[in-house]
Structures are given as structure tokens and as C-alpha cells.
Amino acid sequence: MADFTIREVEGMRQVRIEIDKETIRARRGALSTMRGDIALTPRLPSFGDVFRSMFTSEARIRPYYTGSGSIVLQPSLSGYHILDVQPDETWILEPGVYWASEGDVSLGMRRERFWPSLWSGDGGLVWKTTLCNAGRVAINAPGPVETVEVKDSELRVQGRLVLGRTDGLRFYSRNSSPFPRNLISGQKRLRVYSGTGKALVCWTPYWNEHLYRRMTGESIDGALLE
């Protein structure tokens, strides 16, 4: 199994992956450095991948890295979370959250239901990355991530705090309180996850990433030193 660790230097974080005759894949453009006998192989996307990428921020191409050595991905003011996908689990990630994974992890895409996506403000056609088969995955996260278990109940959040969920949780959107009280509640529509499963929740962002976004309205993406 590939060894995923998160390195933190000067308030920035990056993912380091050690592989030994193994294969991992990563988001396009994510590489910072690699050492050892490793081959980088961008594989052409299928027609379905190209079609779905028209409706999502997910990349069409996710390069594969095969061999033995060390791979360090691009640093970020935000952070990363290491997720171990179990054999009997299917995870649904929010758009843009996927970062890297072991080669045995199967990646797919699923369209979220039309009305819940529309009412939540995401738009009518929203495709999300799915993960299945056992393996390790690194995801983007604006802050520390907590795994919350939901059992025959609801998890209600204000804003995009949930980065991913297992497929046992059904997503929809609703008012924070009955009409017309919702008009004076001061709360926007809630994002609701109902059923039984797990959710990856980021309650609080890292302060430096939050400050940078507030000052510039954007996030750091791509190589820092060209």
C-alpha cells in the first residue's frame, strides 16, 4: 500500500506519497517533485469523461505515476485529508475535492439529483467524483476534516461544509425553518444529508487560507515557483 503523508512547512501543506512498485494517480498539474524510478503516464480520457467534464470542474485527465520512489504534490495554504476507502464503501466527493489516490481505487462520476442541486445553489447539472474499491485517497480540504457518522437521521449544515459522503446518505436542501419564519431567521437554506453513512465535514478553515481568500477572492492554484 502506498504511504500518504501530509507535510507542513511555513503554514503551507502538501501531500507526500511513497510508492514501491505501485501505481497512484493524481489531479492534473498536481506534481511538485518526484524522486526514484517513476514513470508519469497521462492517459487519454474516455468519451464519457470528456462529456461529463463539460458540466463539472473535475479534470478530464488524471496522470498515473508507476514505479518506486517519492512523489511530492503541490503545496497549498489550504490542507489535505487522507481517506481510507473500505471494500464495501462508495464515496461521493464534492466537485474539485479529489487530489490523488492509489491505482486500485476506482474513480467514476455521478450526477446529483436536479432539484436538490438547484435549490442548494449548485446548479441543475452537477457531476461529482465517486470512489470505490479499497485504497487510500488524498482530498483537498480548506481546514481540518472530521468523519461524522449518521445513523437513520439527518446531518444539517449551513454552507459547503461537507466535502464527501458515502452513498447511504441522500442529499437535499430545505429552509432553516418553516415559511415565513425562515425570512427572518438570518439563515440561508440548509444542506441536508439523510440516511445512514459517513460524511467528511470541515467545520473550520485554516486561518491563513481564509484570510487569503477574503483579501483576494481567489485561492492559490498551480506551481508557486515557475
Side-chain angles (χ1 to χ4, degrees), residues 1-4 15 17-27 31 38-41 43 62-67 71-73 98-104 136:
M1 177 178 286
D3 182 27
F4 285 63
V15 175
I17 308 171
E18 303 287 342
I19 57 176
D20 182 14
K21 298 179 181 178
E22 296 168 292
T23 296
I24 64 110
R25 77 182 84 179
R27 191 165 164 178
L31 177 66
I38 301 175
L40 189 160
T41 309
R43 299 184 184 179
R62 291 169 172 142
Y64 285 72
Y65 300 81
T66 302
I71 301 164
V72 180
L73 303 181
Y98 175 82
W99 192 238
S101 63
E102 290 187 283
D104 289 340
R136 190 155 290 175

PDB file of all heavy atoms in Angstrom, residues 1-4 15 17-27 31 38-41 43 62-67 71-73 98-104 136:
ATOM      1  N   MET A   1       0.841  -1.198   0.000  1.00  0.00           N
ATOM      2  CA  MET A   1       0.000   0.000   0.000  1.00  0.00           C
ATOM      3  C   MET A   1       0.873   1.244   0.000  1.00  0.00           C
ATOM      4  O   MET A   1       1.852   1.330   0.748  1.00  0.00           O
ATOM      5  CB  MET A   1      -0.925   0.002   1.220  1.00  0.00           C
ATOM      6  CG  MET A   1      -1.790   1.247   1.335  1.00  0.00           C
ATOM      7  SD  MET A   1      -2.928   1.230   2.742  1.00  0.00           S
ATOM      8  CE  MET A   1      -4.144   0.064   2.133  1.00  0.00           C
ATOM      9  N   ALA A   2       0.552   2.191  -0.856  1.00  0.00           N
ATOM     10  CA  ALA A   2       1.294   3.442  -0.921  1.00  0.00           C
ATOM     11  C   ALA A   2       1.161   4.194   0.403  1.00  0.00           C
ATOM     12  O   ALA A   2       0.127   4.139   1.069  1.00  0.00           O
ATOM     13  CB  ALA A   2       0.785   4.294  -2.073  1.00  0.00           C
ATOM     14  N   ASP A   3       2.228   4.913   0.772  1.00  0.00           N
ATOM     15  CA  ASP A   3       2.250   5.652   2.040  1.00  0.00           C
ATOM     16  C   ASP A   3       1.970   7.130   1.759  1.00  0.00           C
ATOM     17  O   ASP A   3       2.790   7.814   1.160  1.00  0.00           O
ATOM     18  CB  ASP A   3       3.607   5.464   2.719  1.00  0.00           C
ATOM     19  CG  ASP A   3       3.684   6.170   4.057  1.00  0.00           C
ATOM     20  OD1 ASP A   3       2.622   6.346   4.697  1.00  0.00           O
ATOM     21  OD2 ASP A   3       4.799   6.564   4.464  1.00  0.00           O
ATOM     22  N   PHE A   4       0.806   7.617   2.203  1.00  0.00           N
ATOM     23  CA  PHE A   4       0.417   9.009   2.039  1.00  0.00           C
ATOM     24  C   PHE A   4       0.662   9.752   3.357  1.00  0.00           C
ATOM     25  O   PHE A   4       0.164   9.330   4.403  1.00  0.00           O
ATOM     26  CB  PHE A   4      -1.071   9.132   1.698  1.00  0.00           C
ATOM     27  CG  PHE A   4      -1.433   8.756   0.291  1.00  0.00           C
ATOM     28  CD1 PHE A   4      -1.254   7.465  -0.188  1.00  0.00           C
ATOM     29  CD2 PHE A   4      -1.984   9.704  -0.566  1.00  0.00           C
ATOM     30  CE1 PHE A   4      -1.609   7.123  -1.475  1.00  0.00           C
ATOM     31  CE2 PHE A   4      -2.341   9.372  -1.859  1.00  0.00           C
ATOM     32  CZ  PHE A   4      -2.153   8.082  -2.325  1.00  0.00           C
ATOM     33  N   VAL A  15       1.068  17.040   0.040  1.00  0.00           N
ATOM     34  CA  VAL A  15       0.983  15.586   0.178  1.00  0.00           C
ATOM     35  C   VAL A  15       2.259  14.947  -0.357  1.00  0.00           C
ATOM     36  O   VAL A  15       2.703  15.263  -1.468  1.00  0.00           O
ATOM     37  CB  VAL A  15      -0.246  15.042  -0.581  1.00  0.00           C
ATOM     38  CG1 VAL A  15      -0.270  13.513  -0.541  1.00  0.00           C
ATOM     39  CG2 VAL A  15      -1.536  15.608   0.015  1.00  0.00           C
ATOM     40  N   ILE A  17       3.882  11.130  -1.186  1.00  0.00           N
ATOM     41  CA  ILE A  17       3.472   9.745  -1.417  1.00  0.00           C
ATOM     42  C   ILE A  17       4.701   8.896  -1.703  1.00  0.00           C
ATOM     43  O   ILE A  17       5.479   9.223  -2.607  1.00  0.00           O
ATOM     44  CB  ILE A  17       2.487   9.642  -2.604  1.00  0.00           C
ATOM     45  CG1 ILE A  17       1.316  10.625  -2.422  1.00  0.00           C
ATOM     46  CG2 ILE A  17       1.959   8.223  -2.754  1.00  0.00           C
ATOM     47  CD1 ILE A  17       0.423  10.742  -3.644  1.00  0.00           C
ATOM     48  N   GLU A  18       4.878   7.846  -0.927  1.00  0.00           N
ATOM     49  CA  GLU A  18       5.963   6.888  -1.145  1.00  0.00           C
ATOM     50  C   GLU A  18       5.368   5.629  -1.783  1.00  0.00           C
ATOM     51  O   GLU A  18       4.394   5.063  -1.264  1.00  0.00           O
ATOM     52  CB  GLU A  18       6.636   6.524   0.177  1.00  0.00           C
ATOM     53  CG  GLU A  18       7.182   7.700   0.964  1.00  0.00           C
ATOM     54  CD  GLU A  18       8.446   8.297   0.363  1.00  0.00           C
ATOM     55  OE1 GLU A  18       9.087   7.581  -0.461  1.00  0.00           O
ATOM     56  OE2 GLU A  18       8.780   9.436   0.702  1.00  0.00           O
ATOM     57  N   ILE A  19       5.941   5.213  -2.928  1.00  0.00           N
ATOM     58  CA  ILE A  19       5.441   4.017  -3.605  1.00  0.00           C
ATOM     59  C   ILE A  19       6.584   3.028  -3.841  1.00  0.00           C
ATOM     60  O   ILE A  19       7.745   3.432  -4.000  1.00  0.00           O
ATOM     61  CB  ILE A  19       4.757   4.351  -4.955  1.00  0.00           C
ATOM     62  CG1 ILE A  19       5.715   5.103  -5.890  1.00  0.00           C
ATOM     63  CG2 ILE A  19       3.502   5.168  -4.727  1.00  0.00           C
ATOM     64  CD1 ILE A  19       5.119   5.374  -7.275  1.00  0.00           C
ATOM     65  N   ASP A  20       6.258   1.752  -3.824  1.00  0.00           N
ATOM     66  CA  ASP A  20       7.227   0.685  -4.043  1.00  0.00           C
ATOM     67  C   ASP A  20       6.633  -0.293  -5.050  1.00  0.00           C
ATOM     68  O   ASP A  20       5.834  -1.158  -4.691  1.00  0.00           O
ATOM     69  CB  ASP A  20       7.549  -0.011  -2.722  1.00  0.00           C
ATOM     70  CG  ASP A  20       8.605  -1.100  -2.879  1.00  0.00           C
ATOM     71  OD1 ASP A  20       9.276  -1.144  -3.937  1.00  0.00           O
ATOM     72  OD2 ASP A  20       8.756  -1.906  -1.937  1.00  0.00           O
ATOM     73  N   LYS A  21       7.010  -0.129  -6.315  1.00  0.00           N
ATOM     74  CA  LYS A  21       6.463  -0.921  -7.419  1.00  0.00           C
ATOM     75  C   LYS A  21       4.938  -0.859  -7.420  1.00  0.00           C
ATOM     76  O   LYS A  21       4.248  -1.877  -7.497  1.00  0.00           O
ATOM     77  CB  LYS A  21       6.947  -2.374  -7.329  1.00  0.00           C
ATOM     78  CG  LYS A  21       8.459  -2.525  -7.430  1.00  0.00           C
ATOM     79  CD  LYS A  21       8.897  -3.970  -7.308  1.00  0.00           C
ATOM     80  CE  LYS A  21      10.413  -4.096  -7.399  1.00  0.00           C
ATOM     81  NZ  LYS A  21      10.868  -5.493  -7.224  1.00  0.00           N
ATOM     82  N   GLU A  22       4.433   0.343  -7.311  1.00  0.00           N
ATOM     83  CA  GLU A  22       2.996   0.577  -7.222  1.00  0.00           C
ATOM     84  C   GLU A  22       2.591   1.676  -8.195  1.00  0.00           C
ATOM     85  O   GLU A  22       3.435   2.323  -8.818  1.00  0.00           O
ATOM     86  CB  GLU A  22       2.619   0.992  -5.793  1.00  0.00           C
ATOM     87  CG  GLU A  22       2.870  -0.082  -4.754  1.00  0.00           C
ATOM     88  CD  GLU A  22       2.756   0.453  -3.342  1.00  0.00           C
ATOM     89  OE1 GLU A  22       3.614   1.253  -2.939  1.00  0.00           O
ATOM     90  OE2 GLU A  22       1.796   0.067  -2.646  1.00  0.00           O
ATOM     91  N   THR A  23       1.285   1.885  -8.287  1.00  0.00           N
ATOM     92  CA  THR A  23       0.735   2.933  -9.157  1.00  0.00           C
ATOM     93  C   THR A  23      -0.213   3.815  -8.352  1.00  0.00           C
ATOM     94  O   THR A  23      -1.031   3.306  -7.580  1.00  0.00           O
ATOM     95  CB  THR A  23      -0.033   2.325 -10.341  1.00  0.00           C
ATOM     96  OG1 THR A  23       0.877   1.574 -11.161  1.00  0.00           O
ATOM     97  CG2 THR A  23      -0.688   3.411 -11.193  1.00  0.00           C
ATOM     98  N   ILE A  24      -0.062   5.112  -8.520  1.00  0.00           N
ATOM     99  CA  ILE A  24      -1.030   6.051  -7.956  1.00  0.00           C
ATOM    100  C   ILE A  24      -1.441   6.998  -9.073  1.00  0.00           C
ATOM    101  O   ILE A  24      -0.796   7.064 -10.126  1.00  0.00           O
ATOM    102  CB  ILE A  24      -0.460   6.833  -6.747  1.00  0.00           C
ATOM    103  CG1 ILE A  24       0.731   7.729  -7.178  1.00  0.00           C
ATOM    104  CG2 ILE A  24      -0.047   5.878  -5.653  1.00  0.00           C
ATOM    105  CD1 ILE A  24       0.445   9.181  -7.155  1.00  0.00           C
ATOM    106  N   ARG A  25      -2.526   7.706  -8.864  1.00  0.00           N
ATOM    107  CA  ARG A  25      -2.920   8.736  -9.811  1.00  0.00           C
ATOM    108  C   ARG A  25      -3.165  10.020  -9.055  1.00  0.00           C
ATOM    109  O   ARG A  25      -3.412  10.004  -7.843  1.00  0.00           O
ATOM    110  CB  ARG A  25      -4.149   8.317 -10.607  1.00  0.00           C
ATOM    111  CG  ARG A  25      -5.449   8.425  -9.858  1.00  0.00           C
ATOM    112  CD  ARG A  25      -6.610   7.954 -10.703  1.00  0.00           C
ATOM    113  NE  ARG A  25      -6.750   6.507 -10.621  1.00  0.00           N
ATOM    114  CZ  ARG A  25      -7.701   5.822 -11.250  1.00  0.00           C
ATOM    115  NH1 ARG A  25      -8.584   6.434 -11.986  1.00  0.00           N
ATOM    116  NH2 ARG A  25      -7.786   4.518 -11.130  1.00  0.00           N
ATOM    117  N   ALA A  26      -3.087  11.149  -9.749  1.00  0.00           N
ATOM    118  CA  ALA A  26      -3.255  12.443  -9.097  1.00  0.00           C
ATOM    119  C   ALA A  26      -3.952  13.406 -10.039  1.00  0.00           C
ATOM    120  O   ALA A  26      -4.028  13.174 -11.250  1.00  0.00           O
ATOM    121  CB  ALA A  26      -1.905  13.015  -8.661  1.00  0.00           C
ATOM    122  N   ARG A  27      -4.436  14.460  -9.476  1.00  0.00           N
ATOM    123  CA  ARG A  27      -5.079  15.503 -10.262  1.00  0.00           C
ATOM    124  C   ARG A  27      -4.087  16.103 -11.258  1.00  0.00           C
ATOM    125  O   ARG A  27      -2.891  16.222 -10.970  1.00  0.00           O
ATOM    126  CB  ARG A  27      -5.589  16.588  -9.309  1.00  0.00           C
ATOM    127  CG  ARG A  27      -6.495  17.610  -9.927  1.00  0.00           C
ATOM    128  CD  ARG A  27      -7.184  18.363  -8.821  1.00  0.00           C
ATOM    129  NE  ARG A  27      -7.779  19.601  -9.268  1.00  0.00           N
ATOM    130  CZ  ARG A  27      -8.457  20.404  -8.472  1.00  0.00           C
ATOM    131  NH1 ARG A  27      -8.607  20.089  -7.193  1.00  0.00           N
ATOM    132  NH2 ARG A  27      -8.983  21.520  -8.929  1.00  0.00           N
ATOM    133  N   LEU A  31       1.688  17.724  -9.623  1.00  0.00           N
ATOM    134  CA  LEU A  31       3.050  17.322  -9.277  1.00  0.00           C
ATOM    135  C   LEU A  31       3.929  18.513  -8.916  1.00  0.00           C
ATOM    136  O   LEU A  31       3.928  19.534  -9.604  1.00  0.00           O
ATOM    137  CB  LEU A  31       3.683  16.559 -10.443  1.00  0.00           C
ATOM    138  CG  LEU A  31       5.146  16.140 -10.247  1.00  0.00           C
ATOM    139  CD1 LEU A  31       5.274  15.115  -9.136  1.00  0.00           C
ATOM    140  CD2 LEU A  31       5.730  15.612 -11.548  1.00  0.00           C
ATOM    141  N   ILE A  38      10.317   6.383 -11.384  1.00  0.00           N
ATOM    142  CA  ILE A  38       8.871   6.587 -11.507  1.00  0.00           C
ATOM    143  C   ILE A  38       8.555   7.110 -12.903  1.00  0.00           C
ATOM    144  O   ILE A  38       9.201   8.042 -13.388  1.00  0.00           O
ATOM    145  CB  ILE A  38       8.349   7.586 -10.457  1.00  0.00           C
ATOM    146  CG1 ILE A  38       8.655   7.091  -9.037  1.00  0.00           C
ATOM    147  CG2 ILE A  38       6.848   7.815 -10.612  1.00  0.00           C
ATOM    148  CD1 ILE A  38       8.290   8.080  -7.946  1.00  0.00           C
ATOM    149  N   ALA A  39       7.576   6.512 -13.542  1.00  0.00           N
ATOM    150  CA  ALA A  39       7.125   6.965 -14.862  1.00  0.00           C
ATOM    151  C   ALA A  39       5.772   7.665 -14.708  1.00  0.00           C
ATOM    152  O   ALA A  39       4.855   7.132 -14.086  1.00  0.00           O
ATOM    153  CB  ALA A  39       7.000   5.781 -15.816  1.00  0.00           C
ATOM    154  N   LEU A  40       5.677   8.859 -15.292  1.00  0.00           N
ATOM    155  CA  LEU A  40       4.424   9.620 -15.299  1.00  0.00           C
ATOM    156  C   LEU A  40       3.727   9.356 -16.628  1.00  0.00           C
ATOM    157  O   LEU A  40       4.288   9.606 -17.692  1.00  0.00           O
ATOM    158  CB  LEU A  40       4.706  11.107 -15.110  1.00  0.00           C
ATOM    159  CG  LEU A  40       3.511  12.039 -14.891  1.00  0.00           C
ATOM    160  CD1 LEU A  40       3.984  13.342 -14.237  1.00  0.00           C
ATOM    161  CD2 LEU A  40       2.786  12.393 -16.187  1.00  0.00           C
ATOM    162  N   THR A  41       2.493   8.866 -16.569  1.00  0.00           N
ATOM    163  CA  THR A  41       1.766   8.491 -17.785  1.00  0.00           C
ATOM    164  C   THR A  41       0.382   9.130 -17.802  1.00  0.00           C
ATOM    165  O   THR A  41      -0.526   8.648 -17.124  1.00  0.00           O
ATOM    166  CB  THR A  41       1.610   6.960 -17.890  1.00  0.00           C
ATOM    167  OG1 THR A  41       2.879   6.338 -17.717  1.00  0.00           O
ATOM    168  CG2 THR A  41       1.013   6.572 -19.228  1.00  0.00           C
ATOM    169  N   ARG A  43      -3.092   9.397 -19.244  1.00  0.00           N
ATOM    170  CA  ARG A  43      -3.921   8.524 -20.065  1.00  0.00           C
ATOM    171  C   ARG A  43      -5.077   9.324 -20.646  1.00  0.00           C
ATOM    172  O   ARG A  43      -5.692  10.138 -19.967  1.00  0.00           O
ATOM    173  CB  ARG A  43      -4.458   7.355 -19.231  1.00  0.00           C
ATOM    174  CG  ARG A  43      -3.354   6.480 -18.650  1.00  0.00           C
ATOM    175  CD  ARG A  43      -3.921   5.276 -17.924  1.00  0.00           C
ATOM    176  NE  ARG A  43      -2.871   4.494 -17.277  1.00  0.00           N
ATOM    177  CZ  ARG A  43      -3.084   3.402 -16.557  1.00  0.00           C
ATOM    178  NH1 ARG A  43      -4.329   2.947 -16.416  1.00  0.00           N
ATOM    179  NH2 ARG A  43      -2.087   2.761 -15.991  1.00  0.00           N
ATOM    180  N   ARG A  62      -6.238  12.551 -15.435  1.00  0.00           N
ATOM    181  CA  ARG A  62      -5.583  12.404 -14.140  1.00  0.00           C
ATOM    182  C   ARG A  62      -4.383  11.498 -14.343  1.00  0.00           C
ATOM    183  O   ARG A  62      -4.537  10.277 -14.477  1.00  0.00           O
ATOM    184  CB  ARG A  62      -6.559  11.817 -13.117  1.00  0.00           C
ATOM    185  CG  ARG A  62      -7.674  12.796 -12.737  1.00  0.00           C
ATOM    186  CD  ARG A  62      -8.748  12.088 -11.955  1.00  0.00           C
ATOM    187  NE  ARG A  62      -9.727  13.029 -11.432  1.00  0.00           N
ATOM    188  CZ  ARG A  62     -11.030  12.793 -11.365  1.00  0.00           C
ATOM    189  NH1 ARG A  62     -11.505  11.655 -11.806  1.00  0.00           N
ATOM    190  NH2 ARG A  62     -11.850  13.683 -10.857  1.00  0.00           N
ATOM    191  N   PRO A  63      -3.166  12.040 -14.388  1.00  0.00           N
ATOM    192  CA  PRO A  63      -1.982  11.241 -14.709  1.00  0.00           C
ATOM    193  C   PRO A  63      -1.714  10.124 -13.702  1.00  0.00           C
ATOM    194  O   PRO A  63      -2.020  10.246 -12.516  1.00  0.00           O
ATOM    195  CB  PRO A  63      -0.850  12.275 -14.671  1.00  0.00           C
ATOM    196  CG  PRO A  63      -1.525  13.588 -14.873  1.00  0.00           C
ATOM    197  CD  PRO A  63      -2.853  13.462 -14.227  1.00  0.00           C
ATOM    198  N   TYR A  64      -1.121   9.037 -14.210  1.00  0.00           N
ATOM    199  CA  TYR A  64      -0.723   7.904 -13.380  1.00  0.00           C
ATOM    200  C   TYR A  64       0.789   7.980 -13.137  1.00  0.00           C
ATOM    201  O   TYR A  64       1.557   8.385 -14.023  1.00  0.00           O
ATOM    202  CB  TYR A  64      -1.041   6.579 -14.072  1.00  0.00           C
ATOM    203  CG  TYR A  64      -2.509   6.213 -14.062  1.00  0.00           C
ATOM    204  CD1 TYR A  64      -3.431   6.888 -14.856  1.00  0.00           C
ATOM    205  CD2 TYR A  64      -2.982   5.186 -13.254  1.00  0.00           C
ATOM    206  CE1 TYR A  64      -4.772   6.549 -14.850  1.00  0.00           C
ATOM    207  CE2 TYR A  64      -4.324   4.831 -13.233  1.00  0.00           C
ATOM    208  CZ  TYR A  64      -5.215   5.518 -14.040  1.00  0.00           C
ATOM    209  OH  TYR A  64      -6.543   5.177 -14.021  1.00  0.00           O
ATOM    210  N   TYR A  65       1.215   7.567 -11.935  1.00  0.00           N
ATOM    211  CA  TYR A  65       2.632   7.500 -11.575  1.00  0.00           C
ATOM    212  C   TYR A  65       2.914   6.058 -11.177  1.00  0.00           C
ATOM    213  O   TYR A  65       2.307   5.531 -10.240  1.00  0.00           O
ATOM    214  CB  TYR A  65       2.939   8.428 -10.405  1.00  0.00           C
ATOM    215  CG  TYR A  65       2.636   9.891 -10.676  1.00  0.00           C
ATOM    216  CD1 TYR A  65       1.331  10.383 -10.568  1.00  0.00           C
ATOM    217  CD2 TYR A  65       3.651  10.783 -11.032  1.00  0.00           C
ATOM    218  CE1 TYR A  65       1.048  11.716 -10.817  1.00  0.00           C
ATOM    219  CE2 TYR A  65       3.370  12.122 -11.280  1.00  0.00           C
ATOM    220  CZ  TYR A  65       2.067  12.574 -11.167  1.00  0.00           C
ATOM    221  OH  TYR A  65       1.781  13.899 -11.414  1.00  0.00           O
ATOM    222  N   THR A  66       3.846   5.409 -11.876  1.00  0.00           N
ATOM    223  CA  THR A  66       4.123   3.989 -11.648  1.00  0.00           C
ATOM    224  C   THR A  66       5.609   3.781 -11.400  1.00  0.00           C
ATOM    225  O   THR A  66       6.454   4.330 -12.121  1.00  0.00           O
ATOM    226  CB  THR A  66       3.687   3.150 -12.863  1.00  0.00           C
ATOM    227  OG1 THR A  66       2.289   3.367 -13.108  1.00  0.00           O
ATOM    228  CG2 THR A  66       3.919   1.673 -12.617  1.00  0.00           C
ATOM    229  N   GLY A  67       5.924   2.965 -10.381  1.00  0.00           N
ATOM    230  CA  GLY A  67       7.324   2.646 -10.097  1.00  0.00           C
ATOM    231  C   GLY A  67       7.608   2.654  -8.612  1.00  0.00           C
ATOM    232  O   GLY A  67       6.741   2.335  -7.794  1.00  0.00           O
ATOM    233  N   ILE A  71       6.965  10.913  -4.298  1.00  0.00           N
ATOM    234  CA  ILE A  71       6.252  11.935  -5.073  1.00  0.00           C
ATOM    235  C   ILE A  71       5.743  12.987  -4.092  1.00  0.00           C
ATOM    236  O   ILE A  71       5.112  12.657  -3.084  1.00  0.00           O
ATOM    237  CB  ILE A  71       5.056  11.328  -5.834  1.00  0.00           C
ATOM    238  CG1 ILE A  71       5.532  10.234  -6.789  1.00  0.00           C
ATOM    239  CG2 ILE A  71       4.278  12.407  -6.584  1.00  0.00           C
ATOM    240  CD1 ILE A  71       4.422   9.339  -7.282  1.00  0.00           C
ATOM    241  N   VAL A  72       6.037  14.254  -4.378  1.00  0.00           N
ATOM    242  CA  VAL A  72       5.539  15.357  -3.560  1.00  0.00           C
ATOM    243  C   VAL A  72       4.659  16.226  -4.443  1.00  0.00           C
ATOM    244  O   VAL A  72       5.086  16.667  -5.515  1.00  0.00           O
ATOM    245  CB  VAL A  72       6.691  16.188  -2.958  1.00  0.00           C
ATOM    246  CG1 VAL A  72       6.132  17.335  -2.107  1.00  0.00           C
ATOM    247  CG2 VAL A  72       7.607  15.311  -2.114  1.00  0.00           C
ATOM    248  N   LEU A  73       3.441  16.453  -4.000  1.00  0.00           N
ATOM    249  CA  LEU A  73       2.493  17.238  -4.785  1.00  0.00           C
ATOM    250  C   LEU A  73       2.543  18.708  -4.375  1.00  0.00           C
ATOM    251  O   LEU A  73       3.166  19.078  -3.374  1.00  0.00           O
ATOM    252  CB  LEU A  73       1.086  16.671  -4.621  1.00  0.00           C
ATOM    253  CG  LEU A  73       0.933  15.190  -5.001  1.00  0.00           C
ATOM    254  CD1 LEU A  73      -0.511  14.739  -4.822  1.00  0.00           C
ATOM    255  CD2 LEU A  73       1.396  14.941  -6.436  1.00  0.00           C
ATOM    256  N   TYR A  98     -11.231  15.999  -5.122  1.00  0.00           N
ATOM    257  CA  TYR A  98     -10.267  14.918  -5.376  1.00  0.00           C
ATOM    258  C   TYR A  98      -8.870  15.477  -5.648  1.00  0.00           C
ATOM    259  O   TYR A  98      -8.698  16.456  -6.385  1.00  0.00           O
ATOM    260  CB  TYR A  98     -10.715  14.084  -6.574  1.00  0.00           C
ATOM    261  CG  TYR A  98      -9.705  13.037  -6.968  1.00  0.00           C
ATOM    262  CD1 TYR A  98      -9.643  11.820  -6.306  1.00  0.00           C
ATOM    263  CD2 TYR A  98      -8.786  13.288  -7.983  1.00  0.00           C
ATOM    264  CE1 TYR A  98      -8.702  10.865  -6.654  1.00  0.00           C
ATOM    265  CE2 TYR A  98      -7.841  12.345  -8.339  1.00  0.00           C
ATOM    266  CZ  TYR A  98      -7.800  11.127  -7.670  1.00  0.00           C
ATOM    267  OH  TYR A  98      -6.851  10.203  -8.019  1.00  0.00           O
ATOM    268  N   TRP A  99      -7.836  14.799  -5.070  1.00  0.00           N
ATOM    269  CA  TRP A  99      -6.451  15.238  -5.263  1.00  0.00           C
ATOM    270  C   TRP A  99      -5.557  14.095  -5.756  1.00  0.00           C
ATOM    271  O   TRP A  99      -4.863  14.225  -6.742  1.00  0.00           O
ATOM    272  CB  TRP A  99      -5.912  15.823  -3.958  1.00  0.00           C
ATOM    273  CG  TRP A  99      -4.611  16.556  -4.064  1.00  0.00           C
ATOM    274  CD1 TRP A  99      -3.450  16.278  -3.385  1.00  0.00           C
ATOM    275  CD2 TRP A  99      -4.297  17.702  -4.878  1.00  0.00           C
ATOM    276  NE1 TRP A  99      -2.452  17.166  -3.716  1.00  0.00           N
ATOM    277  CE2 TRP A  99      -2.951  18.050  -4.631  1.00  0.00           C
ATOM    278  CE3 TRP A  99      -5.034  18.455  -5.779  1.00  0.00           C
ATOM    279  CZ2 TRP A  99      -2.327  19.121  -5.266  1.00  0.00           C
ATOM    280  CZ3 TRP A  99      -4.406  19.527  -6.414  1.00  0.00           C
ATOM    281  CH2 TRP A  99      -3.073  19.838  -6.152  1.00  0.00           C
ATOM    282  N   ALA A 100      -5.563  12.949  -5.085  1.00  0.00           N
ATOM    283  CA  ALA A 100      -4.722  11.817  -5.501  1.00  0.00           C
ATOM    284  C   ALA A 100      -5.270  10.543  -4.871  1.00  0.00           C
ATOM    285  O   ALA A 100      -6.008  10.590  -3.882  1.00  0.00           O
ATOM    286  CB  ALA A 100      -3.271  12.030  -5.082  1.00  0.00           C
ATOM    287  N   SER A 101      -4.887   9.394  -5.451  1.00  0.00           N
ATOM    288  CA  SER A 101      -5.354   8.115  -4.900  1.00  0.00           C
ATOM    289  C   SER A 101      -4.470   6.980  -5.380  1.00  0.00           C
ATOM    290  O   SER A 101      -3.710   7.117  -6.353  1.00  0.00           O
ATOM    291  CB  SER A 101      -6.806   7.848  -5.322  1.00  0.00           C
ATOM    292  OG  SER A 101      -6.908   7.718  -6.731  1.00  0.00           O
ATOM    293  N   GLU A 102      -4.576   5.847  -4.692  1.00  0.00           N
ATOM    294  CA  GLU A 102      -3.905   4.637  -5.147  1.00  0.00           C
ATOM    295  C   GLU A 102      -4.559   4.143  -6.429  1.00  0.00           C
ATOM    296  O   GLU A 102      -5.749   4.376  -6.681  1.00  0.00           O
ATOM    297  CB  GLU A 102      -3.983   3.564  -4.076  1.00  0.00           C
ATOM    298  CG  GLU A 102      -3.132   3.858  -2.858  1.00  0.00           C
ATOM    299  CD  GLU A 102      -3.103   2.700  -1.879  1.00  0.00           C
ATOM    300  OE1 GLU A 102      -4.098   2.537  -1.148  1.00  0.00           O
ATOM    301  OE2 GLU A 102      -2.094   1.965  -1.839  1.00  0.00           O
ATOM    302  N   GLY A 103      -3.781   3.423  -7.230  1.00  0.00           N
ATOM    303  CA  GLY A 103      -4.267   2.982  -8.531  1.00  0.00           C
ATOM    304  C   GLY A 103      -5.431   2.024  -8.477  1.00  0.00           C
ATOM    305  O   GLY A 103      -6.217   1.938  -9.424  1.00  0.00           O
ATOM    306  N   ASP A 104      -5.586   1.278  -7.359  1.00  0.00           N
ATOM    307  CA  ASP A 104      -6.678   0.314  -7.259  1.00  0.00           C
ATOM    308  C   ASP A 104      -8.023   0.965  -6.952  1.00  0.00           C
ATOM    309  O   ASP A 104      -9.068   0.329  -7.097  1.00  0.00           O
ATOM    310  CB  ASP A 104      -6.370  -0.726  -6.175  1.00  0.00           C
ATOM    311  CG  ASP A 104      -5.254  -1.680  -6.590  1.00  0.00           C
ATOM    312  OD1 ASP A 104      -4.998  -1.785  -7.811  1.00  0.00           O
ATOM    313  OD2 ASP A 104      -4.634  -2.295  -5.710  1.00  0.00           O
ATOM    314  N   ARG A 136      -6.271   4.108  -0.604  1.00  0.00           N
ATOM    315  CA  ARG A 136      -6.044   5.375   0.088  1.00  0.00           C
ATOM    316  C   ARG A 136      -6.217   6.538  -0.894  1.00  0.00           C
ATOM    317  O   ARG A 136      -5.796   6.485  -2.041  1.00  0.00           O
ATOM    318  CB  ARG A 136      -4.644   5.377   0.685  1.00  0.00           C
ATOM    319  CG  ARG A 136      -4.346   6.519   1.633  1.00  0.00           C
ATOM    320  CD  ARG A 136      -3.248   6.130   2.587  1.00  0.00           C
ATOM    321  NE  ARG A 136      -3.716   5.119   3.529  1.00  0.00           N
ATOM    322  CZ  ARG A 136      -2.922   4.517   4.427  1.00  0.00           C
ATOM    323  NH1 ARG A 136      -1.637   4.798   4.452  1.00  0.00           N
ATOM    324  NH2 ARG A 136      -3.413   3.629   5.259  1.00  0.00           N
TER     325      ARG A 136
END
